[in-house]
Amino acid sequence: MTLSQSLEGDGPFSQLIIRGVTLINGNGAPPIGPVDIVVENNIIREIDVVGYPGVEIDSSRRPQLAPGGKELDCTGMYLLPGFVDMHGHIGGRAQGAEPDYVFKLWMAHGITTIREPSGRGVDFAMDLKRKSSKNEIIAPRIFVYTGFGQGSKEQISSPEMARAWVRSNAQKGADGIKFFGAPPEIMSAALDENKKLGLRSACHHAQMDVARWNVLQSARAGLTSMEHWYGLPEALFTDRTVQDYPLDYNYNNEQHRFQEAGRLWEQAAPPYSEHWNTVMDELLELDFTLDPTFNIYEASRDLQRARRAEWHEDYTLPSLWDFYQPSKISHGSYWHYWGTEQEVAWKRNYTLWMTFVNEYKNRGGRVTTGSDSGFIFQLYGFAYVRELELLREAGFHPLEIIRSATLNGAEALGVSDKIGTVTVGKLADFVIVGENPLENLKVLYGTGAIKLTEDNEVVRVGGVRYTIKDGIVYDAKALLRDVKRMVEEKKRETDYKIRQPGIRE
Ligand SMILES: [Zn+2]
């Protein structure tokens, strides 16, 4: 078939047969192919292994096209379940990033499901969720975790108020709550009420409340996932109860906040020590999910890498670039004077953090993939692929990474019966890419991976070819071209050029 190559996507179809792929499933199974996949409307109906590598396919063994059906020839390509981004803020006013821009960057990178861990309020997110579920807009499926207390006229100051807010959040249709920490009695009440209602939860254990309520307390009270890493070293303290803050520290000075965070893991119990093991085992026992979002802190250990990423020129909006610039005001722009000392501390911080996350996975714990893009030079979609690379650095096998990006996310959201693997009966959410992503995760970047041909010619390979959501086939490269066009348009308006911090000419 020829797809219309339209941005809107084609389908769903009464029958769609995707032919000739190598299937990399999200369940930890190794690749297998060639495979033909039959989808009816939005449901996977058949997964047929139709031959052997290097042997011509016997067409009589292949599923037959029904009248009115569509074929998508993907011979030699790799097919994976749609990716789940567990930490996807749908842009923001401060960044000047509107949903259409963010959604297209995500979809262009195979992200077919996101969890929004707070944003512009429950009504804003629910409206987008409904439109996405009807495929009226080009967007991943959306799970709404409202920021705790968001929309409340008064600050939540009692367990009763917390419970009432949790009930009203559920009534509005949200899927869960995103916490940033609160006093213990309020966290307990809110988590208890939320659990009773059958909703899920995430928490960024911010420093302002973590001394009395760390990750372990959250997990015991029913929190289902932790974001980033804050609150975990605190649960691992053995010789202190608060972080070793310099005495002139001010939380609203973000150089203080992020610089000292870079020294936090070394204040915790060392890897494989008794306390470290005990805390890990209790979290495992509680079926607690880690959503590390490694990428969003990467500029802390290598600012130049993050700010010089090659995609900024074509795909980063001027308003977003401005937001990233060193500032005493913008969140995550803590580059007052960020140098060698800070980067080296953060490299050590990463090693200790990654050791915990990898071992958690090895002991059967659920680790998911989340990006937290739109801050700290991390761009939607691209940063998700970087997250996959950082899971690799942490010690995950590429197949473990794919499971983290698909099935684990689906499980953490409570929807693994519908998405997360390529399984008969599940929804048709797929990522299709020309190269083997296990061999080189960089082929998933929209800008592709660099390769030399036999003739010594430099080429780019990869970039997601098709993203399929709800049985609708999107040309991922066309989505990316549209983002590029949006960025060019914005730049033309003000004759804008991306410049590195402090460079004027
Ligand atoms: Zn976030």
Side-chain angles (χ1 to χ4, degrees):
M1 79 186 263
T2 27
L3 285 167
S4 68
Q5 309 293 317
S6 70
L7 274 177
E8 286 71 36
D10 281 347
F13 304 101
S14 56
Q15 186 204 45
L16 168 69
I17 305 182
I18 305 164
R19 300 226 187 254
V21 296
T22 300
L23 171 62
I24 302 174
N25 218 331
N27 54 5
I32 184 168
V35 164
D36 284 2
I37 294 172
V38 183
V39 172
E40 288 174 15
N41 295 306
N42 182 19
I43 306 290
I44 301 168
R45 290 295 178 202
E46 277 180 58
I47 301 158
D48 296 318
V49 180
V50 294
Y52 304 89
V55 178
E56 203 178 331
I57 300 172
D58 173 1
S59 61
S60 70
R61 288 186 50 182
R62 308 189 86 161
Q64 298 302 303
L65 193 66
K70 296 278 183 186
E71 274 177 317
L72 189 61
D73 181 11
C74 293
T75 304
M77 297 188 192
Y78 291 77
L79 182 141
L80 298 79
F83 294 142
V84 180
D85 189 336
M86 288 290 284
H87 202 114
H89 297 286
I90 307 170
R93 288 194 188 92
Q95 290 93 330
E98 292 306 315
D100 184 42
Y101 167 78
V102 175
F103 289 153
K104 281 181 179 148
L105 280 169
W106 278 332
M107 293 286 281
H109 287 88
I111 296 159
T112 52
T113 299
I114 65 114
R115 178 181 68 166
E116 187 179 56
S118 85
R120 292 184 235 188
V122 65
D123 298 332
F124 184 86
M126 283 304 300
D127 176 53
L128 294 168
K129 177 188 172 87
R130 275 187 283 267
K131 286 176 179 154
S132 166
S133 70
K134 292 185 209 147
N135 293 302
E136 293 168 3
I137 52 173
I138 300 170
R141 51 185 90 251
I142 296 169
F143 288 80
V144 176
Y145 282 37
T146 316
F148 178 60
Q150 219 167 23
S152 175
K153 287 188 186 72
E154 290 171 85
Q155 275 186 8
I156 293 176
S157 56
S158 70
E160 295 67 38
M161 282 178 80
R163 287 182 190 276
W165 184 91
V166 169
R167 285 192 297 270
S168 82
N169 181 53
Q171 249 158 28
K172 286 175 183 158
D175 301 285
I177 303 172
K178 161 75 176 298
F179 293 92
F180 291 91
E185 64 279 10
I186 290 180
M187 286 296 291
S188 306
L191 285 167
D192 180 62
E193 193 69 28
N194 196 51
K195 204 171 156 187
K196 275 191 208 153
L197 296 168
L199 301 195
R200 290 166 193 251
S201 48
C203 185
H204 166 163
H205 294 80
Q207 270 94 347
M208 297 314 288
D209 286 294
V210 78
R212 290 201 296 164
W213 189 269
N214 62 43
V215 162
L216 203 48
Q217 281 137 334
S218 276
R220 286 173 183 156
L223 184 79
T224 59
S225 76
M226 64 168 286
E227 303 310 296
H228 320 306
W229 56 284
Y230 303 106
L232 188 51
E234 288 86 347
L236 294 166
F237 283 164
T238 53
D239 59 354
R240 69 198 68 220
T241 62
V242 295
Q243 170 185 344
D244 184 20
Y245 293 112
L247 304 183
D248 64 346
Y249 181 102
N250 183 330
Y251 186 67
N252 254 12
N253 173 326
E254 289 207 356
Q255 168 114 8
H256 285 183
R257 193 193 303 184
F258 285 88
Q259 176 175 301
E260 294 309 314
R263 298 179 48 235
L264 191 42
W265 274 97
E266 68 180 10
Q267 295 167 45
Y272 306 102
S273 63
E274 196 189 338
H275 187 55
W276 192 91
N277 281 319
T278 305
V279 169
M280 181 176 292
D281 290 340
E282 187 173 349
L283 294 175
L284 288 163
E285 191 64 35
L286 292 163
D287 192 28
F288 192 62
T289 298
L290 307 189
D291 187 38
T293 70
F294 286 125
N295 77 92
I296 196 61
Y297 302 96
E298 196 175 26
S300 304
R301 72 171 192 180
D302 193 349
L303 176 56
Q304 176 161 310
R305 177 194 177 100
R307 66 183 168 81
R308 295 307 301 254
E310 65 176 356
W311 38 85
H312 288 312
E313 265 73 17
D314 285 339
Y315 301 107
T316 297
L317 284 170
S319 53
L320 192 48
W321 186 254
D322 288 342
F323 179 78
Y324 292 149
Q325 298 310 301
S327 163
K328 292 179 177 175
I329 299 164
S330 305
H331 175 49
S333 302
Y334 43 95
W335 324 109
H336 300 204
Y337 194 45
W338 196 265
T340 312
E341 291 304 306
Q342 289 75 13
E343 291 195 353
V344 169
W346 262 97
K347 282 177 188 171
R348 294 210 187 96
N349 212 40
Y350 262 94
T351 304
L352 293 166
W353 175 19
M354 284 177 162
T355 303
F356 190 96
V357 173
N358 189 48
E359 182 63 14
Y360 195 76
K361 174 264 296 172
N362 288 346
R363 293 187 195 178
R366 188 182 307 104
V367 176
T368 55
T369 307
S371 69
D372 201 12
S373 297
F375 304 93
I376 323 182
F377 293 105
Q378 295 299 337
L379 184 59
Y380 309 93
F382 289 94
Y384 186 84
V385 181
R386 185 62 192 150
E387 185 69 15
L388 302 178
E389 289 199 282
L390 289 168
L391 288 165
R392 184 75 191 92
E393 185 180 322
F396 286 48
H397 185 283
L399 286 167
E400 293 176 325
I401 297 171
I402 300 305
R403 184 176 60 196
S404 173
T406 57
L407 181 58
N408 287 6
E411 280 180 4
L413 293 167
V415 290
S416 57
D417 57 332
K418 295 190 183 70
I419 59 168
T421 56
V422 179
T423 302
V424 169
K426 285 197 186 183
L427 303 180
D429 283 6
F430 309 123
V431 184
I432 301 174
V433 58
E435 311 286 315
N436 182 355
L438 301 180
E439 201 183 355
N440 181 7
L441 292 162
K442 293 183 197 298
V443 302
L444 294 167
Y445 285 117
T447 41
I450 300 165
K451 197 174 187 179
L452 270 184
T453 65
E454 288 293 315
D455 307 321
N456 203 29
E457 188 200 348
V458 191
V459 294
R460 289 295 176 116
V461 295
V464 172
R465 186 70 197 82
Y466 300 110
T467 299
I468 301 183
K469 178 212 166 201
D470 278 333
I472 301 170
V473 182
Y474 295 90
D475 180 335
K477 291 178 187 271
L479 294 175
L480 209 54
R481 277 196 299 276
D482 196 49
V483 171
K484 192 173 171 184
R485 181 198 57 75
M486 287 182 209
V487 171
E488 276 167 5
E489 218 163 82
K490 284 284 175 202
K491 283 183 177 166
R492 250 198 313 274
E493 283 172 17
T494 55
D495 201 15
Y496 192 92
K497 247 184 104 166
I498 291 225
R499 288 186 205 285
Q500 290 299 320
I503 305 287
R504 312 241 178 258
E505 280 307 308

